[in-house]
Amino acid sequence: MLPLRIGWADGRSFFVVVIIVVNALMQSNVLSYRNKAFGLNYNIRSPYSLPALDSLSSAENAARDKQNMLGILENWKKKNSVSAKTKMVYIN
């Protein structure tokens, strides 16, 4: 007995139709591969040059960031410290 064929919906032709439909949806911006964060202005381009990036990475910014992160870690340590040591469980 011959297998039933559904015509264009089987094999490669169905795959080609799906690719064409997805391409049309991408071009009409129904589907978008770009993830945008709400509240940011995407009309203004940020300067991505070495001097612009160097101006953001100063020693003062690094020290301030380090102090901020140490404060966050100290708060985490206070919340997660246990007076008695917890037992270690080995699974073999």
Side-chain angles (χ1 to χ4, degrees), residues 15 17-19 25 35 42-43 49 52 54 57 59 63 65 67-68 70 72 86 91:
F15 181 71
V17 169
V18 168
I19 293 296
L25 291 174
N35 295 325
Y42 287 96
N43 296 325
S49 63
D54 281 340
S57 61
D65 186 43
Q67 289 301 318
N68 184 36
L70 286 175
I72 291 171
T86 58
I91 299 174

Side-chain angles (χ1 to χ4, degrees), residues 5-72:
R5 292 202 160 233
I6 303 175
W8 66 271
D10 65 331
R12 290 176 282 194
S13 57
F14 179 71
F15 181 71
V16 170
V17 169
V18 168
I19 293 296
I20 291 171
V21 168
V22 168
N23 187 29
L25 291 174
M26 292 285 285
Q27 288 180 353
S28 65
N29 287 331
V30 173
L31 294 177
S32 178
Y33 63 90
R34 295 181 188 163
N35 295 325
K36 293 186 177 183
F38 293 108
L40 295 179
N41 187 359
Y42 287 96
N43 296 325
I44 300 172
R45 303 272 311 172
S46 296
Y48 289 110
S49 63
L50 191 57
L53 294 176
D54 281 340
S55 70
L56 297 174
S57 61
S58 66
E60 180 184 303
N61 284 345
R64 194 171 346 123
D65 186 43
K66 181 179 177 181
Q67 289 301 318
N68 184 36
M69 186 53 69
L70 286 175
I72 291 171

